[in-house]
Amino acid sequence: QVQLVESGGGSVQAGGSLRLSCAASGDWYRRTCMAWFRQAPGKEREGVAAMYTGGGSPYYVDSVKGRFTVSQDTAKNTVVYLEMNTLKPEDTAIYYCAAAGGYCTPHIERYEYNYWGQGTQVTVSS
């Protein structure tokens, strides 16, 4: 079992920035696909970003490319971040951290991930 805990959500005005953190514990492996998803009210949960902790380029959904960056803490390889810049009101959602064994796929599909955090709210006002 892997436990994931997100933190760093909050409220910000459009154009602002937030950094989300995801701390993993339990049966954690060094080579894992870590992803961020989000779910806005009345909408499906969508994959936002994914990275393989063993290296390689991350994947992003088109709507966040150039604004969001997923990364791993180099000192604590059990912590993954989502740096969110130039935030827009449409980024408002609950953001979830997720994990899956093995490599990531570009489409960041919900069914591929076995472990989930509890979510953290991000609210962007205009």
Side-chain angles (χ1 to χ4, degrees):
Q1 290 288 329
V2 175
Q3 292 80 43
L4 303 173
V5 178
E6 303 98 334
S7 61
S11 297
V12 65
Q13 290 191 325
S17 299
L18 283 173
R19 188 177 77 162
L20 306 182
S21 299
C22 174
S25 61
D27 296 333
W28 176 253
Y29 295 94
R30 288 182 174 271
R31 300 184 185 279
T32 299
C33 178
M34 296 295 298
W36 288 94
F37 286 74
R38 65 185 180 187
Q39 188 164 17
K43 294 189 176 182
E44 295 288 322
R45 191 172 299 188
E46 70 164 345
V48 173
M51 66 168 290
Y52 179 59
T53 58
S57 298
Y59 299 112
Y60 298 95
V61 68
D62 287 346
S63 60
V64 308
K65 284 180 180 177
R67 301 189 298 123
F68 289 14
T69 303
V70 60
S71 63
Q72 184 177 10
D73 191 307
T74 54
K76 308 173 186 177
N77 63 5
T78 58
V79 178
V80 174
Y81 302 106
L82 183 68
E83 184 77 34
M84 305 184 294
N85 297 312
T86 320
L87 282 161
K88 304 176 181 180
E90 51 264 43
D91 294 318
T92 295
I94 299 174
Y95 282 71
Y96 298 90
C97 178
Y103 294 101
C104 301
T105 63
H107 302 295
I108 320 176
E109 298 285 355
R110 181 176 180 175
Y111 70 85
E112 297 175 323
Y113 293 84
N114 311 98
Y115 304 103
W116 294 84
Q118 81 289 351
T120 185
Q121 177 71 46
V122 171
T123 303
V124 184
S125 58
S126 57

